[in-house]
Amino acid sequence: MTATLDLIISIVKTPAILVALIAILGLVLQKKSFSDVMTDGIKTFIGFLVLSGGAGIVSGALAPMGKMFIHAFNVQGVIPNNEAVVATVLVTYGSSTALIMLVSMIVNVLLARFTSFKYIYLSGHVMIYMSAMLAVIMSVAGFSTWPLIILGGIALGVADTLMPALVQPFIKEVTHSDSVALAHTGDFGYFISGVVAKIFGNKSKSTEDLKIPKSVSFLRDSTVSITLTMVVIYVILAIFAGPVYVGKMSSGVNYIVYSIIQAGTFAAGVYVILAGVRLILNEIIPAFKGISEKLVPNAKPALDCPIIFPYAPNAVIVGFFSSFVGGVLSMIIMITLHTVIVIPGVVAHFMCGATSGVIGNAVGGRRGAVLGAFVQGIFISFLPLALIPVLGKIGLGNAMFSDSDFGIVGSYVGWLGQAGGTVAISIGIIAALILFILVSVIVSSHRKASLNLNKEIGKENA
């Protein structure tokens, strides 16, 4: 039983295998030939491995940058890093985490099948992070095993269906279609970024249409511009950190040369991500058609955030730095207010900032990309402060959950527990499920009314 459970958990938390199996299921439901099923399934699998490899390269290249920043400016505090905190949590809450995740996937599919929100959450690696956080918070509140697993699964299943729906209007503007959705733990922050960009932005001026003199036209190539931008940032940080400190990481390589290599590695990682995304999109969307027609009508696959990077490569870098500036400003405010200091985590600001930049650019142009990502940077800096008190002993460590959905879902459940223990959390989760279903009914009624009105207008015009 344990071995079977381990196998299932390993599959669902590995996006490359999970999404490939979903693609194969979709193709089988469409009665495609064995050859097509094998070809498209394997391409989807490889596409996700390419994407994951690119994300790993980017994270690896950003790690020295974060260390240089902390050393150069001599700051100490909590670093938002999902991987670090989850590694700690799984030691104690591993089984509860895995079972919460499984229940949440069942709840997600049922909600997608029977409500108006047709989003199947396929980012298994971030689902396990959210499951881990809920396992900690609900255990600290006093839940026994099975209520914790069932209610935690319901809470996560509702969140995994609701969050992609929240940000989908902006994703449609990015992709110019309604065939794919966004499944990432920064979804609520992307929603806020999109709203800010829409209100204060100017859609007519895109980050991808920058006017560049002919003499520097090489900057039009996104790989070149990303590399040069990162070289400047890396070299400046290396100078501030000093050759002695950087030399400890460079294994004898000159600290300036080391910085240039890391900047180039970062750009190479982004290039690999974009290649992986293109491969996945070409395969998963046609394959998912079988599922949306047979099992969950009109369902949409919700995928990880790099899926939108190819739509605006310049906005990726603009969003990253705008978010990071928001994180630095937030850190200065925390130092001034003598609160716990949240140090800007460059990986979190890259993933969330870049995604916010692409969304901000789609709905508000250059200004939208800058402002949307900047607000996202502030948002993910202050949200951990609300989360720390409800996480028990792990909330006092040097690492903390980073992205916005952790802060929103974790604070909702955690602060209910602080106010009324297990009873308050149970009522809060059931209330959230009922509210979600009511909103779905209202949305469905509104869509039917709009459809009937359009039919009436069509008849009159005919």
Side-chain angles (χ1 to χ4, degrees), residues 196-398:
V196 169
K198 201 169 186 66
I199 293 173
F200 298 103
N202 180 357
K203 195 175 178 178
S204 64
K205 296 181 179 179
S206 170
T207 55
E208 312 309 300
D209 298 328
L210 293 173
K211 292 181 180 177
I212 297 174
K214 196 173 181 180
S215 59
V216 290
S217 59
F218 56 89
L219 291 173
R220 290 182 185 279
D221 187 304
S222 60
T223 301
V224 174
S225 58
I226 288 171
T227 304
L228 293 177
T229 304
M230 292 303 292
V231 165
V232 171
I233 299 297
Y234 242 114
V235 169
I236 290 174
L237 278 176
I239 292 171
F240 272 98
V244 175
Y245 180 77
V246 179
K248 295 176 183 175
M249 295 186 284
S250 68
S251 303
V253 177
N254 177 276
Y255 75 115
I256 298 296
V257 174
Y258 175 76
S259 301
I260 294 171
I261 292 172
Q262 294 303 315
T265 304
F266 173 89
V270 172
Y271 186 88
V272 174
I273 287 175
L274 300 184
V277 168
R278 292 187 183 103
L279 187 57
I280 295 166
L281 286 179
N282 287 339
E283 305 302 330
I284 189 68
I285 292 175
F288 207 78
K289 185 181 174 187
I291 292 176
S292 67
E293 288 179 349
K294 304 285 184 181
L295 297 182
V296 184
N298 302 316
K300 298 172 183 61
L303 304 169
D304 202 358
C305 60
I307 210 79
I308 66 170
F309 289 179
Y311 294 94
N314 291 341
V316 168
I317 296 303
V318 170
F320 170 35
F321 286 113
S322 298
S323 177
F324 192 75
V325 169
V328 172
L329 178 63
S330 301
M331 184 184 70
I332 294 171
I333 293 172
M334 291 172 195
I335 293 172
T336 306
L337 296 177
H338 302 291
T339 66
V340 173
I341 298 170
V342 178
I343 298 171
V346 285
V347 174
H349 282 288
F350 173 72
M351 289 298 177
C352 296
T355 308
S356 298
V358 175
I359 290 173
N361 178 63
V363 300
R366 300 170 200 167
R367 199 189 305 157
V370 172
L371 291 176
F374 178 76
V375 170
Q376 167 81 277
I378 292 176
F379 204 50
I380 62 175
S381 297
F382 279 96
L383 274 178
L385 296 183
L387 204 51
I388 289 172
V390 301
L391 281 170
K393 291 180 180 178
I394 73 155
L396 301 175
N398 293 325

Side-chain angles (χ1 to χ4, degrees), residues 146-165:
W146 284 107
L148 181 150
I149 291 167
I150 294 170
L151 286 169
I154 292 173
L156 185 55
V158 170
D160 285 349
T161 317
L162 174 64
M163 291 301 182

Side-chain angles (χ1 to χ4, degrees), residues 110-121:
L110 289 174
L111 290 176
R113 175 66 180 81
F114 296 108
T115 72
S116 302
F117 302 108
K118 306 292 185 183
Y119 305 99
I120 306 292
Y121 205 95

